[in-house]
Amino acid sequence: MTLRRLLLAASGLMALTQPVLAADGPGAAQADRATAHPAQWPAAHSPAAITDPATEAQITALMARMTLAQKVGQMIQADISAITPADLQRYPLGSILAGGNSGPYGNERAGGADWARLVGEYRAASAKSGAGIPIIFGVDAVHGHSNLPGATIFPHNIGLGAMHDPALVQKIGAATAAEIAATGIEWTFAPTLAVPQDLRWGRSYEGYAADPALVAAYARAMVLGLQGPLRAGQAVDATHVAATAKHFLADGGTFEGKDQGDARITEAQLVATHAQGYPAAIDAGALTVMASFSSWNGVKNHGNRSLLTGVLKGRMGFGGFVVGDWNGHGQVEGCTVTACAASFNAGLDMAMAPDSWKGLFDSTLAQAQQGTIPAARIDDAVRRILRVKFKLGLMGPAPVARGDAAGLGAPAHLAIAREAVAKSLVLLKNNGGLLPLKPGARVLVAGPGADSMAMQAGGWTITWQGTDTTAADFPHGQTIGRALVDALGQVGGQATLAPDGQFAQKPDVAVVVYGESPYAEFQGDVANLAFRPRNGEDALIARLKAQGIPVVSVFLSGRPLFAGSLINASDAFVAAWLPGTQGAGVADVLVAGRDGKPARDFAGTLPFPWPADARSPVTKPLFPAGFGLTYAHPAPLGRVNEDPRVDLSAAASDNLWFNRGQAPSPWHLGLDNAVTSRSIDLTAQEDARQFTWAAPGALAIDGPPVDLTRQADEGFEVRLDWRIDALPAGPIKVSVGTGSLDVASLLRLAPQGAVTQTRIPLRCFAQAGADLKKVGTPLRITAPQGFVVTLRNARVEATGSVAACPTQG
Ligand code: BGC
Ligand code: BGC
């Protein structure tokens, strides 16, 4: 036994973290690979002002009065979708969160006053229960107060990375904090300090950059912006909130860019690449750190004592508390979401137990009573949580008053967002000086992203996945297309916004806005870096070019993607990331004033290398990190490679099974003899396929087996966009794998002959017997003779609200 193991065994931890600390065999080797040596890590320290002797004495006195149950309660956080204020009487929990899909009173679009009211109700209930300790309330305000309509939405972090401007990041933090605080909330789960390595990862856009030094500079700036500098003896004021440095550690370093995956790297790489943001955040006063879902060399971070305790609380001197991620403790070996002493013993102070809080409270209390979780560990966790509550001014007779519900979308905040959008744009190509758009020019603004608030805002907006954001959600925002049309109109131009690219009079130039559709977390994981044009943008650009119209591409994406043929087809190409709601920032750079000069030149440079093909990670980029043209320093771009150099069809695709009338690779459409099909214009030219059942039969979409269990757990639904043209009597079956559901009665309620959306939760198919672990035929539609349907899209998607299972007739 090594000395360390001896010490752990002596402290009673040996038995608890057995899989990690097993004395011999493969477990031991694994434990060594995933055991950090704190002395090799950068040192840091929470500022002394995080607390003071008087506060610590108050905490000591308070803890002396607390029962064990009350202490355990502090260590557990529940989601608003699964707990009521009244529940806090029996379960005196320490914290409440609102997850990405949780809105006040079940309303995803609740306004600031509703949020403040909701938070107030939990807070009042907590003050009356247990030891009377108010809850701390957390939310994912990750690019502005992004769950709220009307809030100021800033570019996602990848766009901020392109700015290379810590001072502006600090202003963004302060503006975001003011909007969060205005709704009565005192804690955001931001900033993400990931340093993404393999951009197939669906959360790449939540990371600032590939450069650890920039991430460190931004960590400091964002924490200072959100919290303000900590001041001795004073609470964080009413316009600031607690930050969360997340996800500790190496969320951006997982194998093949898999979300929640495993970082198979040495300790030296962990330190050099992934750890750099944390000392900066801690030194700046970050009050909380969130543990990562991911693993390091096979061991889940939520259970890694050497990282959470040895490195974070020891070497990095972190004095705040460590919160878990969404049921992340349940992934630790030997744990379930409702029981996980190992995670608390590893150093987790507060478990995020959105829907599992009740079971976790009961089991943790029992473990605390039995000493499975040592009393000293409980006391350390509770002290840290109370310290943060004191610092936020939540405690005592005169708490800091947040929640005046004013200031959401304040003009000063919108101006900061607009500036950030402008500075985040990266110019990759501008042949012939096509940009800026000249005053007086006739401009066509087209493409699927031209008037799409959802595409420009991305995930974590209104809902978790961000797929149903609309322009109406942000009355103080502008879509990029509308902003361009306005700006051009002001300088005497004649601009038309036509997403489908139709025009009456031939334009001098076309701006085509397109890119990725919104996603969050694992839903954004992809098999390779190829951008797949799915909304007709490639055909649109080809058509414009064939008519001799020069094309500016404005590319919306959460990561650099291989788009060789589109770059070649475009005369100018702008990487605009996920800029948020202030489209005017794009116009500030793209549109010249009457003097021929735009309000701003390009200032952004690539935060990550831009791939030359679809392979990942990128080793020989087309454009290196740091690349970006300006008007002042133009340079023509020759033809770029168009070969993806990976087999695109072999890659298991994401969850779009049928798109605009076709099955995108790797999916295949198969029809029984009984079913015939033809192309149809449903909402655009040939964007759908009509299927007619001449006899009982089926259509099916097949492909490589996919695992849909996680989507089912998270409330994802199968969504069919279609028109029911003829509905015969008898069952109409929709199947996912081996689970079949009769949707006939559901379809009878749908409007006939008009485009409609049918949504069926994935879990309903599991209940009907589907094994969602391995689904080779994600969609089969079986119907009797006479069924006629025009199908546009079939996909798996998550929106805020989950539909009921169709009643079986
Ligand atoms: C994400 C976190 C987020 C949390 C709460 C998790 O799934 O990984 O980044 O803060 O949910 O919504
Ligand atoms: C929640 C998110 C959370 C995710 C975890 C969703 O249902 O709304 O906040 O991050 O689950 O995977």
Side-chain angles (χ1 to χ4, degrees):
M1 264 197 194
T2 62
L3 178 62
R4 220 184 77 78
R5 287 213 184 99
L6 261 175
L7 290 173
L8 287 170
S11 70
L13 278 172
M14 185 89 169
L16 314 174
T17 40
Q18 224 169 16
V20 182
L21 295 171
D24 296 300
Q30 186 185 55
D32 287 342
R33 280 204 313 278
T35 302
H37 303 82
Q40 297 174 20
W41 291 64
H45 214 285
S46 291
I50 196 171
T51 187
D52 51 70
T55 304
E56 294 298 311
Q58 271 181 283
I59 294 173
T60 304
L62 182 52
M63 283 175 55
R65 294 197 304 270
M66 290 169 77
T67 65
L68 194 53
Q70 289 165 352
K71 288 180 178 176
V72 165
Q74 287 300 308
M75 298 165 68
I76 293 171
Q77 180 186 56
D79 185 87
I80 59 167
S81 59
I83 188 166
T84 64
D87 288 329
L88 292 172
Q89 284 301 329
R90 213 173 124 240
Y91 296 90
L93 303 192
S95 181
I96 303 286
L97 91 146
N101 277 341
S102 306
Y105 315 106
N107 178 10
E108 280 297 350
R109 290 184 158 76
D114 277 344
W115 279 90
R117 178 154 70 91
L118 177 87
V119 175
E121 285 166 4
Y122 285 110
R123 186 118 49 218
S126 60
K128 278 188 261 142
S129 64
I133 299 168
I135 50 108
I136 174 172
F137 194 102
V139 72
D140 290 288
V142 296
H143 61 141
H145 199 1
S146 43
N147 284 291
L148 272 84
T152 305
I153 304 298
F154 297 91
H156 268 298
N157 287 350
I158 191 170
L160 304 189
M163 304 188 313
H164 296 79
D165 189 342
L168 190 53
V169 166
Q170 189 165 338
K171 286 191 197 166
I172 291 171
T176 304
E179 298 203 5
I180 300 167
T183 61
I185 299 172
E186 59 277 340
W187 183 19
T188 175
F189 304 129
T192 294
L193 302 181
V195 186
Q197 300 297 297
D198 187 327
L199 300 197
R200 288 177 286 183
W201 186 36
R203 305 190 78 161
S204 294
Y205 67 81
E206 296 187 56
Y208 293 120
D211 174 11
L214 186 65
V215 174
Y218 275 21
R220 177 173 190 280
M222 188 52 95
V223 169
L224 287 176
L226 288 166
Q227 298 189 165
L230 300 185
R231 294 184 209 286
Q234 279 177 36
V236 169
D237 70 26
T239 62
H240 289 94
V241 302
T244 308
K246 76 182 188 185
H247 308 81
F248 190 82
L249 188 66
D251 47 349
T254 61
F255 182 64
E256 294 181 336
K258 278 259 170 318
D259 189 41
Q260 305 193 3
D262 186 17
R264 300 176 190 166
I265 55 179
T266 64
E267 185 171 9
Q269 290 170 303
L270 202 56
V271 172
T273 305
H274 300 283
Q276 296 302 316
Y278 290 88
I282 291 166
D283 285 340
L287 291 170
T288 75
V289 171
M290 188 184 288
S292 179
F293 274 128
S294 58
S295 307
W296 175 38
N297 290 332
V299 177
K300 283 283 172 187
N301 289 349
H302 274 70
N304 192 324
R305 187 168 198 273
S306 71
L307 284 177
L308 296 184
T309 300
V311 169
L312 187 56
K313 295 178 178 176
R315 181 70 175 165
M316 293 188 185
F318 174 57
F321 71 83
V322 180
V323 64
D325 203 345
W326 193 271
N327 277 329
H329 56 274
Q331 296 188 23
V332 173
E333 246 192 277
C335 288
T336 66
V337 296
T338 52
C340 191
S343 189
F344 290 118
N345 284 333
L348 190 80
D349 299 310
M350 179 188 284
M352 187 184 288
D355 48 355
S356 50
W357 53 271
K358 217 179 253 187
L360 188 65
F361 175 89
D362 290 337
S363 71
T364 306
L365 179 56
Q367 288 154 352
Q369 283 159 344
Q370 291 150 12
T372 312
I373 305 174
R377 181 69 269 278
I378 307 258
D379 284 350
D380 172 56
V382 175
R383 176 172 295 276
R384 288 165 177 274
I385 293 164
L386 294 177
R387 186 179 292 151
V388 170
K389 290 185 174 183
F390 270 100
K391 198 69 207 169
L392 287 170
L394 301 175
M395 308 291 292
V400 170
R402 296 181 181 84
D404 57 15
L408 270 194
H413 302 162
L414 298 171
I416 296 169
R418 179 172 176 171
E419 180 182 348
V421 172
K423 289 185 169 168
S424 71
L425 303 176
V426 181
L427 182 63
L428 296 179
K429 179 176 183 180
N430 192 24
N431 287 5
L434 183 58
L435 285 173
L437 303 168
K438 315 292 176 288
R442 186 189 306 284
V443 180
L444 171 71
V445 186
D451 198 24
S452 169
M453 198 53 98
M455 281 179 69
Q456 70 187 54
W460 297 107
T461 314
I462 304 294
T463 62
W464 177 37
Q465 295 293 320
T467 42
D468 62 353
T469 306
T470 68
D473 290 324
F474 297 100
H476 305 305
Q478 320 82 34
T479 62
I480 293 169
R482 287 184 198 267
L484 288 172
V485 168
D486 283 356
L488 284 157
Q490 278 164 29
V491 293
Q494 299 175 48
T496 347
L497 174 60
D500 66 358
Q502 300 300 324
F503 54 82
Q505 234 178 330
K506 186 176 164 187
D508 301 322
V509 50
V511 178
V512 183
V513 189
Y514 57 94
E516 291 187 297
S517 296
Y519 53 79
E521 300 192 42
F522 62 93
Q523 187 68 6
D525 284 1
V526 288
N528 56 63
L529 292 181
F531 169 65
R532 275 169 297 171
R534 282 168 161 165
N535 297 301
E537 49 274 74
D538 47 348
L540 170 61
I541 291 172
R543 172 164 66 76
L544 294 167
K545 289 298 289 182
Q547 294 171 83
I549 301 165
V551 168
V552 177
S553 281
V554 174
F555 190 63
L556 298 170
S557 70
R559 51 196 148 200
L561 289 171
F562 165 68
S565 58
L566 292 167
I567 292 178
N568 284 336
S570 309
D571 300 273
F573 194 94
V574 178
W577 318 112
L578 302 170
T581 53
Q582 301 314 110
V586 177
D588 289 342
V589 183
L590 264 52
V591 179
R594 290 190 197 272
D595 61 355
K597 285 196 192 135
R600 292 173 183 278
D601 196 349
F602 282 91
T605 61
L606 291 177
F608 296 94
W610 196 281
D613 54 44
R615 293 177 296 185
S616 189
V618 176
T619 48
K620 291 195 199 101
L622 176 60
F623 305 110
F627 179 86
L629 300 172
T630 61
Y631 294 135
H633 296 102
L637 179 68
R639 275 191 83 73
V640 303
N641 169 52
E642 298 192 354
D643 178 359
R645 298 183 182 127
V646 300
D647 179 1
L648 297 181
S649 66
S653 149
D654 55 350
N655 302 303
L656 184 60
W657 302 330
F658 197 72
N659 181 42
R660 296 168 61 95
Q662 282 170 7
S665 145
W667 308 114
H668 302 284
L669 173 67
L671 301 176
D672 283 0
N673 287 338
V675 186
T676 57
S677 84
R678 65 181 181 113
S679 269
I680 287 272
D681 298 353
L682 195 60
T683 56
Q685 200 181 0
E686 298 213 353
D687 68 333
R689 201 147 256 281
Q690 187 177 57
F691 300 96
T692 303
W693 271 253
L699 76 77
I701 289 171
D702 300 296
V706 287
D707 180 353
L708 294 172
T709 44
R710 197 162 162 211
Q711 281 90 341
D713 290 346
E714 299 284 359
F716 281 67
E717 304 169 326
V718 174
R719 181 182 132 183
L720 304 170
D721 293 299
W722 57 1
R723 186 181 69 194
I724 312 302
D725 299 314
L727 189 57
I732 312 280
K733 296 222 154 142
V734 173
S735 322
V736 170
T738 49
S740 288
L741 294 166
D742 183 1
V743 297
S745 47
L746 199 61
L747 296 189
R748 269 193 187 97
L749 299 173
Q752 309 284 300
V755 183
T756 173
Q757 201 179 83
T758 301
R759 289 161 52 196
I760 312 164
L762 270 175
R763 72 177 153 76
C764 309
F765 296 100
Q767 283 159 16
D771 173 9
L772 294 182
K773 264 206 128 21
K774 243 182 158 202
V775 177
T777 303
L779 184 69
R780 182 192 303 277
I781 299 172
T782 316
Q785 180 188 348
F787 185 49
V788 184
V789 73
T790 303
L791 182 62
R792 184 165 191 271
N793 291 329
R795 53 157 58 104
V796 162
E797 193 179 77
T799 54
S801 58
V802 183
C805 292
T807 42
Q808 300 299 288

